[in-house]
């Protein structure tokens, strides 16, 4: 069989659902033509390949390219001062109510041009690509006006033209209440539903719509309005839910067939059951848990028992998770949330893809899927979760190209 590229003498963590654990294969090969995998499996079972280019991987491990399914990578400024305040004892909610938090980043982001937002995002993105990320989700939510939310999404959409990466863009207008609407939150929801979502959908600037369902964010009734508008305009939904309290946002998200519900520290059994029934992915964000020094962990045992898919992500953002390392995220998920090695690696590949609605395209090593690979200098996959501050990436392949 004629193929363009072949990686041989490899050990594969395919993440295939029909194989146990990580779907590991010793003495494996990956063959591709164009940007598609033609074969990923054992050498013994492979057809005879005639490859234009072949690389001997020398026993290294190949996984799917990493998928960071929850980030806020496009923004201006930073919130290092708020970090100091938290160290002195102030809570996230206290800082937000005093005019800090998301609104602080809003001010800096509104003042930045689209090109400045791109320039600021690129070093963060480059760090992630350097650790094997091939697909990343980027949310808006720091503009909080029609023109500035569009500016953020346009900046996110521009990044694949500058770097070899796939970007899933998410509109998060319902992230916080901007000052001009502080006395009339329903009017802001009107703006999101009647103008922002229709315009953003018409321009193809977003793949999904998100909201922050929380006491310092938006009520379930307001989120329902946002979800209805998203549904009307053909956009999938996801939700920041149960981070600081239990407003039953995860169940609401599940009602709308949400791709994911994210954070989930305060998730209850009813919310877990609703997510299991709808296939909504649980996205756990250990960076935010660590950075804000939370104490209540997501109900991992309940999620496992119910069969809810578990993804993990950096939640890279300026206020509560200024984290750009997917490898450290996996370590945090294991140490803080007690996820297994297999769950961590699956959470940053297959389940991350599932949380973006992209599992048909990426997230596993299977024929027909996009040839996005990460090749690692490790003796066993556990090292990807075990190390802290060490990057064993040997090569990153995006669409079949190094």
């Amino acid at each position: 069989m004629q193929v363009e590229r072949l990686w041989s003498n490899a050990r594969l963590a395919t993440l295939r659902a029909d194989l146990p654990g990580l779907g590991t294969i010793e003495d494996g090969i990956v063959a591709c033509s164009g940007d598609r995998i033609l074969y990923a499996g054992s050498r013994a079972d492979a057809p005879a390949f005639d490859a234009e280019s072949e690389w001997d991987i020398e026993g290294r491990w190949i996984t799917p390219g990493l998928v960071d399914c929850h980030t806020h990578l496009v923004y201006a400024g930073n919130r290092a001062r708020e970090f100091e305040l938290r160290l002195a004892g102030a809570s996230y909610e206290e800082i937000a109510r005093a005019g800090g938090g998301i609104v602080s980043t809003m001010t800096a982001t509104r003042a930045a041009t689209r090109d400045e937002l791109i320039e600021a995002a690129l070093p963060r993105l480059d760090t992630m690509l350097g650790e094997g990320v091939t697909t990343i989700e980027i949310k808006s939510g720091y503009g909080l006006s029609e023109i500035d939310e569009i500016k953020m999404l346009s900046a996110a959409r521009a990044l694949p033209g500058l770097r070899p990466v796939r970007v899933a863009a998410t509109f998060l207008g319902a992230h916080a209440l901007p000052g001009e609407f502080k006395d009339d939150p329903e009017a802001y929801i009107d703006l999101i539903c009647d103008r922002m979502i229709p315009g953003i959908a018409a321009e193809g600037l977003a793949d999904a719509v998100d909201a922050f369902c929380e006491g310092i964010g938006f009520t379930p009734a307001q989120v329902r309005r946002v979800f209805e508008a998203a549904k009307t305009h053909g956009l999938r939904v996801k939700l920041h839910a149960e981070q600081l309290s239990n407003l039953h946002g995860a169940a609401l998200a599940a009602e709308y067939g949400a791709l994911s519900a994210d954070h989930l520290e305060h998730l209850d059994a009813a919310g877990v059951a609703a997510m299991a029934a709808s296939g909504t992915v649980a996205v756990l964000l250990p960076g935010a848990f660590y950075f804000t020094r939370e104490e209540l962990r997501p109900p991992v045992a309940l999620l496992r028992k119910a069969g809810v898919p578990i993804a993990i992500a950096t939640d890279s953002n300026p206020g509560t998770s200024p984290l750009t390392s997917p490898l450290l995220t996996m370590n945090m998920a294991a140490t803080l949330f007690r996820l297994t090695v297999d769950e961590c690696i699956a959470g940053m590949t297959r389940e991350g893809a599932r949380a973006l609605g992209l599992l048909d395209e990426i997230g596993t090593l299977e024929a027909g899927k996009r040839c996005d690979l990460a090749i690692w200098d490790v003796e066993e996959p556990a090292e990807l979760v075990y190390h802290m501050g060490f990057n064993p990436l040997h090569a990153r392949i995006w669409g079949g190209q190094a």
Side-chain angles (χ1 to χ4, degrees):
M1 179 185 296
Q2 184 72 33
V3 296
E4 292 180 10
R5 289 168 293 280
L6 183 72
W7 293 268
S8 61
N9 191 18
R11 289 180 284 178
L12 309 181
T14 67
L15 279 298
R16 280 169 42 185
D18 61 330
L19 296 176
L22 295 175
T24 58
I25 294 173
E26 298 286 343
D27 192 20
I29 61 175
V30 177
C32 86
S33 284
D35 64 359
R36 297 288 144 177
I37 295 172
L38 297 182
Y39 179 84
S42 69
R43 174 181 289 278
D45 296 332
F49 287 116
D50 180 13
E52 296 176 14
S53 301
E54 181 173 350
W55 289 269
D56 183 344
I57 301 304
E58 300 177 329
R60 293 182 176 91
W61 281 91
I62 300 180
T63 70
L66 302 188
V67 179
D68 194 344
C69 67
H70 181 132
T71 87
H72 306 252
L73 202 72
V74 171
Y75 61 86
N78 71 71
R79 301 205 323 243
R81 174 57 183 154
E82 293 178 19
F83 176 61
E84 289 187 281
L85 292 174
R86 276 201 298 276
L87 292 176
S91 71
Y92 175 63
E93 186 167 354
E94 288 168 343
I95 290 169
R97 293 196 183 281
I102 294 166
V103 174
S104 172
T105 300
M106 177 199 75
T107 302
T109 300
R110 285 184 174 183
T113 66
R114 173 183 176 273
D115 287 347
E116 287 170 339
L117 291 177
I118 293 169
E119 183 179 1
L122 282 173
R124 298 188 281 265
L125 178 61
D126 287 340
T127 301
M128 293 180 167
L129 303 190
E131 291 193 2
V133 168
T134 51
T135 295
I136 184 170
E137 186 254 20
I138 300 177
K139 304 178 190 295
S140 65
Y142 293 126
L144 307 183
S145 71
E146 186 174 12
I147 189 170
D148 292 300
E149 287 293 296
I150 288 173
K151 178 177 67 178
M152 290 187 70
L153 291 168
S154 177
R157 286 294 201 212
L159 294 176
L162 301 171
R163 296 292 188 272
V165 66
R166 181 174 194 156
V167 170
T170 298
F171 170 57
L172 181 57
H175 196 196
L177 191 64
E180 57 267 32
F181 287 94
K182 65 182 178 65
D183 296 321
D184 195 355
E186 292 300 327
Y188 182 59
I189 297 297
D190 288 343
L191 177 64
I192 289 173
C193 296
D194 298 341
R195 286 187 58 86
M196 292 193 191
I197 289 177
I200 286 165
E203 293 297 322
L205 288 173
D207 304 297
V209 172
D210 198 347
F212 185 31
C213 187
E214 192 54 73
I216 60 171
F218 296 89
T219 68
Q222 290 165 339
V223 170
R224 184 179 292 276
R225 291 183 59 199
V226 172
F227 281 2
E228 286 291 340
K231 180 180 177 181
T232 296
H233 293 279
L235 293 172
R236 300 292 300 271
V237 298
K238 50 180 61 185
L239 189 65
H240 287 61
E242 275 74 90
Q243 180 183 11
L244 306 173
S245 62
N246 185 8
L247 297 186
H248 308 291
L252 173 61
E255 180 184 335
Y256 282 85
L259 291 168
S260 70
D262 305 23
H263 286 290
L264 304 178
E265 282 86 342
H266 291 260
L267 180 66
D268 61 15
V272 171
M275 292 176 66
S278 68
T280 297
V281 177
V283 178
L284 306 187
L285 305 170
F289 178 90
Y290 163 82
F291 197 77
T292 59
R293 297 187 293 178
E294 293 293 334
E295 296 181 354
L296 182 64
R297 292 172 173 80
V300 171
L302 287 179
L303 292 168
R304 284 179 184 140
K305 184 176 180 180
V308 175
I310 298 174
I312 59 174
T314 62
D315 190 19
S316 183
N317 76 76
T320 61
S321 187
L323 174 63
T324 54
S325 172
L327 295 174
L328 183 56
T329 300
M330 287 195 284
N331 178 274
M332 287 180 171
T335 57
L336 299 176
F337 295 161
R338 300 296 187 262
L339 266 61
T340 67
V341 164
D342 287 6
E343 286 172 331
C344 290
I345 296 174
M348 193 63 78
T349 53
R350 182 184 64 217
E351 304 311 330
R354 193 190 308 274
L356 296 178
L358 295 174
L359 188 56
D360 288 343
E361 277 279 307
I362 58 172
T364 65
L365 304 182
E366 296 184 72
K369 291 199 174 183
R370 185 177 167 84
C371 189
D372 292 346
L373 315 176
I375 304 174
W376 306 96
D377 269 320
V378 296
E379 288 299 318
E380 55 184 321
E383 292 181 52
L384 301 180
V385 181
Y386 157 76
H387 285 295
M388 299 174 65
F390 175 72
N391 181 4
L393 186 70
H394 173 75
R396 173 185 177 275
I397 308 299
W398 190 73
Q401 302 292 329

